[in-house]
């Protein structure tokens, strides 16, 4: 008896812990989930309001239909053994008008707010004072280029409370740019520039994801959007515009790594300002300032950098990055150099 009671108690306690855990996770300011139901931009807010409005109309229609169904089954139907009521009418004009107008009204209620949101959220020209950023989608990473010349990959920084205008281009095939809390999906189509305009309202980190199947590592085509305060954004932007961080004379490992990089095949694809001019892969000038690598798949730690360089296919099947087979000490030096590029 007491055994069963304590088991029930422990199940209840576990359920309570899960509920508390979920509540804390939901409330945490740092952990922004990939949800469209907690909008953090004007665009996402409009889409969420539209979703709620249409769902509310649908709920009202559902309630009316269920109510009419119950009436038909339980009130206006004939009982067993009872003769069905005879009707002399062959048509009912009132009824015909009602079921022509009813669905029309439903379509109007749904289409008017939808069309209004489409026009509101897709201005033909960038709003005044907008920060215009070029986004290029590649298999499988994202390139972000700022009007002042700053360039980064897979981690977009934007200032809060300022209009942002992204022009989305593809370097190869169709992708789709999607940050659930900041706005709707926008396809990235080769040979065409699509725009996405929004104002992020709350600083924080928002995870994004390519939302159009684009090959083997489509699911590994992630990215992050950092919404910074205007001061933090200005600071980040200044740091990105500067050349690569100088390697301290005492850091022999990183210095050796720098020499190794300059003479490696990495230079064919990767740019490091003043060192190499590759443009096929991400710009590495400020690689160490990014929190992740391989398009948001791995945390940016020395172990992960070595893992990525040595066996990229393990992390991202199909990636164009060739494996660089380096003996341990050389790999350590290369990783130390890359991790010095703040
Ligand atoms: Cu790019 Cu899916």
């Amino acid at each position: 008896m007491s055994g069963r009671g304590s088991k029930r108690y422990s199940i209840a306690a576990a359920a309570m812990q899960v509920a508390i855990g979920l509540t804390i996770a939901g409330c945490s300011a740092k952990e922004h989930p990939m949800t469209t139901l907690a909008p953090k931009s004007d665009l996402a807010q409009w889409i969420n309001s539209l979703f709620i409005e249409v769902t509310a109309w649908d709920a009202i229609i559902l309630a009316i239909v269920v109510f009419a169904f119950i009436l038909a089954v339980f009130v206006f139907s004939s009982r067993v053994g009872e003769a069905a009521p005879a009707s002399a009418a062959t048509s009912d004009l009132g009824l015909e008008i009602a079921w022509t107008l009813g669905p029309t009204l439903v379509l109007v209620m749904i289409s008017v707010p939808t069309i209004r949101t489409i026009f509101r959220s897709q201005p033909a020209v960038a709003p005044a004072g907008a920060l215009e950023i070029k986004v290029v989608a590649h298999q499988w990473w994202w390139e972000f280029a700022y009007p002042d010349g700053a360039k980064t990959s897979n981690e977009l920084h934007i200032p809060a409370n300022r209009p942002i205008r992204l022009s989305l281009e593809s370097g190869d095939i169709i992708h789709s740019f999607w940050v659930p809390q900041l706005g709707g999906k926008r396809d990235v189509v080769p040979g065409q520039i699509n725009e996405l305009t929004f104002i992020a309202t709350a600083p924080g980190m928002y995870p994004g994801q390519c939302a159009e199947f684009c090959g083997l590592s489509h699911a590994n085509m992630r990215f992050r959007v950092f919404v910074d305060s205007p001061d933090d954004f200005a600071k980040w932007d200044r740091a990105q515009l500067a050349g690569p961080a100088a390697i301290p004379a005492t850091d022999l490992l990183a210095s050796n790594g720098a020499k190794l990089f300059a003479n490696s095949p990495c230079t064919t694809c990767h740019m490091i300002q003043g060192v190499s001019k590759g443009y096929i892969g991400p710009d590495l000038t400020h690689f160490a300032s990014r929190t992740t690598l391989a398009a948001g798949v791995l945390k940016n730690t020395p172990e992960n950098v070595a893992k990525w360089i040595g066996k990229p296919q393990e992390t991202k099947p199909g990636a164009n990055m060739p494996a660089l087979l380096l003996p341990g000490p050389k790999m350590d030096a290369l990783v130390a150099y890359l991790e010095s590029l703040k």
Side-chain angles (χ1 to χ4, degrees), residues 21-335:
L22 287 174
T23 310
I24 292 170
C27 296
S28 159
K30 277 184 186 164
E31 281 302 317
H32 286 290
M34 291 186 82
T35 173
T36 55
L37 298 174
K40 293 287 187 283
S41 79
D42 56 350
L43 170 61
Q45 181 60 55
W46 296 334
I47 295 171
N48 190 47
S49 304
L50 176 66
F51 167 70
I52 289 169
E53 192 176 337
V54 170
T55 306
W57 286 124
D58 292 346
I60 293 169
I61 294 163
L62 180 69
I64 293 171
V65 170
V66 169
F67 183 66
F69 179 76
I70 290 170
L71 283 185
V73 171
F74 296 104
V75 180
F76 296 115
S77 63
S78 47
R79 299 286 171 271
V80 178
E82 213 176 81
S87 170
T90 51
S91 70
D92 186 328
L93 188 64
L95 210 55
E96 281 178 25
I97 291 174
W99 65 48
T100 306
L101 280 185
T104 309
L105 200 64
V106 170
L107 287 181
V108 168
M109 286 184 315
I110 292 172
S111 61
V112 167
T114 304
I115 293 168
R116 196 177 54 207
T117 305
I118 290 172
F119 277 94
R120 191 180 188 190
S121 64
Q122 297 187 29
V125 291
L131 175 61
E132 298 187 52
I133 303 168
K134 182 172 140 181
V135 178
V136 187
H138 302 269
Q139 280 176 314
W140 291 278
W141 61 284
W142 300 88
E143 184 180 344
F144 304 114
Y146 293 72
D148 60 8
K151 233 178 180 191
T152 185
S153 304
N154 305 319
E155 294 194 0
L156 175 68
H157 280 253
I158 54 171
N161 300 317
R162 178 175 166 189
I164 304 297
R165 175 86 155 181
L166 304 179
S167 54
L168 305 155
E169 296 174 29
S170 172
D172 36 52
I173 60 169
I174 300 179
H175 303 270
S176 182
F177 185 91
W178 188 38
V179 192
Q181 285 193 282
L182 297 181
K185 292 169 191 163
R186 191 65 36 99
D187 276 2
V188 186
V189 183
Q192 187 176 322
I193 297 175
N194 284 346
E195 262 112 14
L196 194 64
T197 311
F198 62 92
I199 300 174
T201 48
M205 189 283 283
Y206 301 93
Q209 166 73 50
C210 175
E212 182 75 45
F213 181 69
C214 56
L216 210 50
S217 270
H218 153 69
N220 295 323
M221 190 169 166
R222 303 179 209 162
F223 59 103
R224 293 174 159 208
V225 178
F226 291 85
V227 176
D228 301 328
S229 69
D231 285 349
D232 285 350
F233 175 74
K235 213 193 282 171
W236 174 85
D237 191 40
R238 267 199 305 277
Q240 296 296 309
L241 283 172
I247 303 165
T250 50
D251 194 344
L252 288 176
L253 197 61
S255 304
N256 285 339
K259 279 179 221 140
L260 218 142
F261 179 90
N263 296 304
S264 75
C266 310
T267 53
T268 321
C269 299
H270 294 284
M271 152 108 64
I272 292 182
Q273 277 175 48
V275 179
S276 59
K277 288 186 174 146
Y279 57 87
I280 293 167
D283 186 314
L284 301 177
T285 308
H286 297 285
F287 172 75
S289 74
R290 303 203 276 266
T291 61
T292 56
L293 61 116
V297 178
L298 297 173
K299 282 214 168 88
N300 191 352
T301 63
E303 298 74 40
N304 283 339
V305 177
K307 180 184 167 191
W308 172 243
I309 295 171
K311 289 175 178 169
Q313 298 299 323
E314 246 174 39
T315 302
K316 207 187 257 188
N320 284 329
M321 168 129 158
L324 192 62
L325 301 166
L326 287 177
K330 283 191 171 178
M331 181 65 92
D332 290 346
L334 186 60
V335 170

Side-chain angles (χ1 to χ4, degrees), residues 7-20:
K7 193 177 175 191
R8 201 179 293 156
Y9 172 77
S10 63
I11 291 171
M16 184 74 95
Q17 277 167 356
V18 169
I20 292 170

